[in-house]
Amino acid sequence: RLPVTVFAMENNIKNVTVTMQPNNFMEIVGSATQSLTFDKPGEQLAYFDVRVRNATGIGKMKVSAGSGGEKATDEIELDVRNPNPVITSVQQITLAPGQKWDAAVMPVGVASQGTSVMEVSSIPSMNLQKRLSYLIDYPHGCIEQTTSAVFPQLVLNQLTDLSEFQKANVDRNVKAGIAKLNNFQRPDGGFSYWPGEGTSDDWGSTYAGHFLIEAQNNGYVVSDNMLNQWKNYQRGRANSWAPSTTNFYGGDLAQSYRLYTLALAKSAELGAMNRLKEFKYLSPEAKWRLAAAYKLAGQDNVALDLISGLPTTFGAKANPGFTYGSDLRDEAMVLETLTLLGRRNQAAGVLSDVAARLSQDSWYSTQTTAYSLIAIAKYCGKNASGAKIIASANLAGK
């Protein structure tokens, strides 16, 4: 209900006609004209019932008031917005060679605001468009969010074909992420949770260092001094780790991940790895990550012994602690380890599960989303053969 106040300032103003004219974002319910009668100067209210149409934008209402030769107009703007969250509806199908699929796509929510994407992939559907739009951006935020924003961009070309414009954006974002991590690094070589903080974040330091190593392996320039300081920090933390005091809320996983990144950086700490391996209460998640470290350190048999009989899925964590992860993130680490060990048949089953969970319309944290995409890309490999999917799509006759 929209009120209009009319002021009659002269004695000759008696009968006033008030008219409301909306633009395409609103419509008048009932009469668009109201009549007011004045017996003396003063003010009166006219009310109009207005309905918002099913579209978002700037609604404009033009009001005109006239009496004899007197006329006044005014125009107001009302921002029409949709307060509801974005909804994504996914249909997926597996096609055999030569097979066809027909489906009607039904709009969700406000039709004028919707977009449709068709994704064709040789790996299980993972709702890539939605997950990437959540992550792929200029890096900002804390150490975990900054790293998660750029880490999967290193392997994006292994998941989908990129245009030259997209490649340029990815290159810009990765370089910006590397530069920004300089602001997080502390004198001890670790990375703080926010720039300028006085302490290094345990998991964040490992995660950021992991990204920097992979970025360097992908041809990006990373300061040797930055990496060497980080390696020294990781070595110190690895060698001083004690399970009796730090194995809470993923402490053993944090240690195994730290050892994995040191091995990835060709600075494996075998002594610390062996001590962790002998820890009586080592969790399955930590064993998977430690096995990957042994593989990188050239100890294949030890790695295989570690994962023998281990589960590949884990229950949801009531408190993931300081690892910023989830059971899906840990399952993605299992996928990465199986790929590294060359156990592709077993990895294929884990891949299907990780991809299926990504394809659901569920919310996942930045790290869970990022690491799942990284692990899937590791399984896909570099696609050096250049194999292509040959498919044709017909939408509304075009």
Side-chain angles (χ1 to χ4, degrees), residues 59-134:
K60 293 184 178 182
M61 307 294 292
K62 185 176 181 179
V63 186
S64 301
S67 176
E70 303 291 343
K71 188 177 181 179
T73 61
D74 192 19
E75 186 175 270
I76 61 171
E77 293 185 354
L78 296 173
D79 191 4
V80 181
R81 62 184 182 87
N82 189 340
N84 298 302
V86 173
I87 296 173
T88 303
S89 176
V90 180
Q91 296 182 54
Q92 63 178 19
I93 191 76
T94 301
L95 292 177
Q99 189 178 355
K100 293 183 178 181
W101 175 55
D102 292 301
V105 180
M106 302 303 295
V108 178
V110 181
S112 62
Q113 300 288 297
T115 58
S116 293
V117 175
M118 187 182 70
E119 179 180 313
V120 183
S121 175
S122 59
I123 56 177
S125 173
M126 53 182 157
N127 201 1
L128 184 61
Q129 186 73 19
K130 176 184 177 181
R131 299 304 174 187
L132 290 179
S133 63
Y134 173 53

Side-chain angles (χ1 to χ4, degrees), residues 29 53 117 209 239:
V29 179
R53 294 181 187 271
V117 175
N239 289 317

